[in-house]
Amino acid sequence: MFTFHERLGIFCAIEAAGLSVLGTSLILCYAIVNWICIRLSSCRGRQSPKPASAADSSLFLNLMFADLLQGLGIFPSIRWMNDGFITTGTSDCEAQATLKELGINGVALSSLVIGLHTFAILVLGWRLPRYAGLVACCVIWVFTALVVGVNRAVHRSDDYFVDTGYWCWVNEEFRISQLTSEYLWMWSSAALMLILYGMMFLAMKGIVTVPNLGGFRPKVLATWRSRSNIFSYPAVYIVCVLPNSVSRWMSFNGRYVNPGYALFASALFSLSGFLNALLFMLTRPKLVWKPKVDAEGRPPSIYVYRNETSQGDWISRTRGIDYILNIEK
């Protein structure tokens, strides 16, 4: 049976997950409503402008959706907190473990792809097509479904999802599955993000020079040197995942984990969706609230010349560095 303090810790994790579910749900609902309104206007033949909106940022919305799944994965703990113990073999246990794996992998891979996308544009000077974000989202979820589904199918006749302390997850007897279904992607994503954003920071400060592999490097780099918000998402991810990773690594190696620390790490990790949603609204307000547009229906932009020619690129401030509009002059 859980003690009072353990139930209190589980309650804190549930509260944090509730905030994450609320925050991500609001952004996703806004994006859906906004998309419907745009489609209705198009169907009525109106020449409405296409300003930046939350519906345009597929990678960030994908992160919100993954955060939503991760938050929902904590909700079965309401039953565990009420009962005082975890019931293995129930649909609640199966749902919790599955949602947690899907959400945690989705958050890790989405955060990593956002970093790769930003690095490719700002540092390498690549010109990515507009559908690159949607393709990346599809790849993320196909890959996530495979790593979760294949491991579950391999052990379909075993007690795969069991009580692991304060929630249901992969049985500790299946160490390889624990690694390949979650740990490997979560830790490797965090490590790669540290490298990517570290290189971006050095490039933006002019400390290192990276070859212009894509033939296009926005001079807007100088403008973004004073903007630190692109480092907010990896910072939130690493801060939220680090305590939980330490707790899981200790447990993975058979070392004692203090219950208070384990529950604190779980609550902080569950809060990542709320923090990401808050960052989304604070650092990218024009993607959530109605943006201003110019006479041609474009959001305020910076025109960047590639060469000595008259051809250039509009780097939209409201869309951020993850979305570049090529304007032919």
Side-chain angles (χ1 to χ4, degrees), residues 113-128:
V113 170
I114 288 172
L116 289 169
H117 195 248
T118 306
F119 184 84
I121 292 175
L122 272 186
V123 180
L124 299 182
W126 289 0
R127 301 185 59 82
L128 300 177

Side-chain angles (χ1 to χ4, degrees), residues 134-319:
L134 291 175
V135 172
C137 292
C138 293
V139 172
I140 286 172
W141 289 112
V142 169
F143 179 80
T144 300
L146 285 175
V147 297
V148 173
V150 169
N151 280 285
R152 183 67 184 94
V154 169
H155 302 286
R156 60 183 179 275
S157 60
D158 303 315
D159 292 329
Y160 185 64
F161 292 136
V162 297
D163 174 8
T164 57
Y166 301 107
W167 51 79
C168 285
W169 197 57
V170 179
N171 194 326
E172 62 180 10
E173 295 180 3
F174 309 123
R175 294 296 191 184
I176 300 299
S177 292
Q178 286 184 334
L179 279 173
T180 57
S181 67
E182 184 177 315
Y183 284 152
L184 178 61
W185 319 116
M186 181 173 66
W187 293 335
S188 60
S189 294
L192 288 173
M193 277 191 284
L194 282 174
I195 296 172
L196 285 172
Y197 283 94
M199 292 180 65
M200 270 189 278
F201 177 80
L202 295 176
M204 293 169 71
K205 291 295 182 181
I207 299 175
V208 298
T209 302
V210 180
N212 193 359
L213 302 178
F216 165 71
R217 175 173 294 148
K219 295 179 182 178
V220 75
L221 262 175
T223 303
W224 282 93
R225 285 176 182 171
S226 61
R227 301 284 296 275
S228 60
N229 55 20
I230 65 170
F231 300 103
S232 301
Y233 290 95
V236 164
Y237 180 77
I238 292 171
V239 167
C240 289
V241 81
L242 185 58
N244 195 55
S245 295
V246 172
S247 174
R248 292 193 175 193
W249 183 258
M250 292 174 63
S251 176
F252 187 77
N253 287 280
R255 301 180 63 181
Y256 172 76
V257 181
N258 183 278
Y261 177 79
L263 291 169
F264 163 76
S266 176
L268 181 61
F269 195 44
S270 301
L271 197 62
S272 65
F274 173 75
L275 296 177
N276 279 331
L278 189 62
L279 280 176
F280 193 95
M281 291 185 287
L282 293 178
T283 63
R284 303 160 63 82
K286 299 290 182 66
L287 292 173
V288 179
W289 317 117
K290 185 177 181 180
K292 297 179 180 180
V293 295
D294 58 20
E296 299 180 12
R298 288 195 305 259
S301 306
I302 306 171
Y303 191 75
V304 180
Y305 287 95
R306 281 182 281 164
N307 300 307
E308 299 299 326
T309 66
S310 61
Q311 189 176 17
D313 298 87
W314 287 96
I315 311 300
S316 169
R317 286 193 185 100
T318 59
R319 291 178 187 241

Side-chain angles (χ1 to χ4, degrees), residues 94-123:
E94 187 86 13
Q96 180 173 52
T98 302
L99 285 172
K100 284 174 68 67
E101 285 196 333
L102 291 174
I104 290 172
N105 285 322
V107 169
L109 296 175
S110 296
S111 300
L112 176 60
V113 170
I114 288 172
L116 289 169
H117 195 248
T118 306
F119 184 84
I121 292 175
L122 272 186
V123 180

Side-chain angles (χ1 to χ4, degrees), residues 61-113:
L61 290 176
N62 194 66
L63 176 62
M64 295 294 102
F65 179 69
D67 275 317
L68 175 62
L69 291 181
Q70 180 179 314
L72 291 174
I74 299 295
F75 282 7
S77 293
I78 297 174
R79 176 181 174 182
W80 317 145
M81 181 185 65
N82 182 64
D83 295 344
F85 57 88
I86 296 175
T87 308
T88 300
T90 61
S91 58
D92 289 337
C93 184
E94 187 86 13
Q96 180 173 52
T98 302
L99 285 172
K100 284 174 68 67
E101 285 196 333
L102 291 174
I104 290 172
N105 285 322
V107 169
L109 296 175
S110 296
S111 300
L112 176 60
V113 170

